[in-house]
């Protein structure tokens, strides 16, 4: 990408955000995108608020240095633990005209429209669950349509995806036991939010162990892409600062060869990455 380009930044602790980037590129192919995976420090889901905030701010600052005017935290854990502080405390100080968005609010708005009986389930990392972001945001933004939100922390799911062992007995065991525990807490759940951008990679296993075919499963990629498109239409002042030459750039804090091989599995096409330090 030319040095004076202004790509949209997409950040995740590892590979999970690639499930979101893939949908961004499909819906908004002309825009420039830069992806940053903090693979060296993944997972974030078991880390404290302070550490997730510190790591996320480092990543956002780096993406601003790369020319981004808009950054999407394609990571629920970072959205839950760092987004608000960055928006309210850091942005006015370091970059008042730049914007950082998350993935929780778009998912909440979608499920509020989708649920029929108001019983929503959320599977997410321990950090996202402990933050209570989903129950709080669902209460705030569902207009009373969501009556009960039940959460289940799934601390093994991200390591399973990061280690590329999704199609194994071990992976099935953890998916089954977490879903069993969730639906035992509320058997009436009719809509299930995959509240972690890594989880779509486990969709086959998740479908197998969701107790009824009537349960709607909400994957975030397409929803967040649609909301980003609407956001850019509503905010021409931000949109005009996003360059559109279909440029793609990938940064990782881990080994480049490893990242390139895994990213190709997520995206379905080969990419070239660059190693950085945060
Ligand atoms: N993809 C991140 C999320 O959506 C994974 C978090 C982690 O690194 O544990 O929460």
């Amino acid at each position: 990408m030319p040095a004076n380009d202004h790509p949209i930044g997409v950040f995740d602790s590892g590979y999970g955000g690639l499930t979101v980037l893939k949908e961004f590129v499909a819906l908004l192919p002309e825009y420039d995108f830069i992806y940053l995976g903090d693979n060296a420090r993944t997972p974030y889901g078991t880390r404290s608020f302070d550490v997730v905030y510190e790591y996320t701010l480092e990543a956002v600052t780096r993406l601003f240095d790369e020319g981004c005017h808009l950054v999407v935290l394609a990571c629920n854990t970072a959205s839950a633990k760092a987004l608000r502080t960055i928006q309210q405390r850091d942005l006015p100080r370091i970059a008042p005209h730049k914007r950082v968005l998350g993935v929780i609010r778009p998912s909440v708005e979608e499920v509020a429209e989708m649920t029929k009986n108001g019983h929503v389930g959320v599977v997410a990392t321990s950090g996202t669950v402990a933050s209570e972001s989903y129950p709080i945001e669902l209460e705030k933004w569902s207009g009373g349509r969501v009556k009960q939100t039940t959460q289940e922390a799934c601390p093994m799911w991200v390591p399973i995806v990061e280690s590329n062992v999704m199609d194994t007995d071990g992976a099935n065991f953890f998916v089954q036991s977490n879903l069993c525990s969730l639906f035992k807490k509320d058997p009436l759940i009719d809509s299930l939010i995959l509240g972690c951008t890594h989880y779509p990679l486990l969709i086959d296993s998740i479908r197998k162990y969701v107790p009824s075919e009537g349960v709607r499963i909400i994957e975030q990629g397409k929803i967040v892409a649609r909301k980003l498109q609407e956001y850019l239409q509503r905010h021409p002042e931000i949109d005009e600062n996003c360059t559109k030459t279909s440029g793609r750039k990938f940064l990782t804090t881990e080994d480049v060869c490893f990242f390139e091989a895994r990213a190709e599995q997520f995206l379905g096409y080969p990419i070239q990455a660059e190693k950085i330090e945060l």
Side-chain angles (χ1 to χ4, degrees), residues 212-223:
S212 130
E213 280 183 12
V215 175
R216 309 282 294 271
I217 300 173
I218 290 121
E219 296 181 54
Q220 297 178 308
K222 285 196 171 59
I223 296 164

Side-chain angles (χ1 to χ4, degrees), residues 203-217:
I203 192 69
D204 291 342
S205 188
I206 292 168
R207 285 218 179 91
K208 208 158 37 182
Y209 298 113
V210 160
S212 130
E213 280 183 12
V215 175
R216 309 282 294 271
I217 300 173

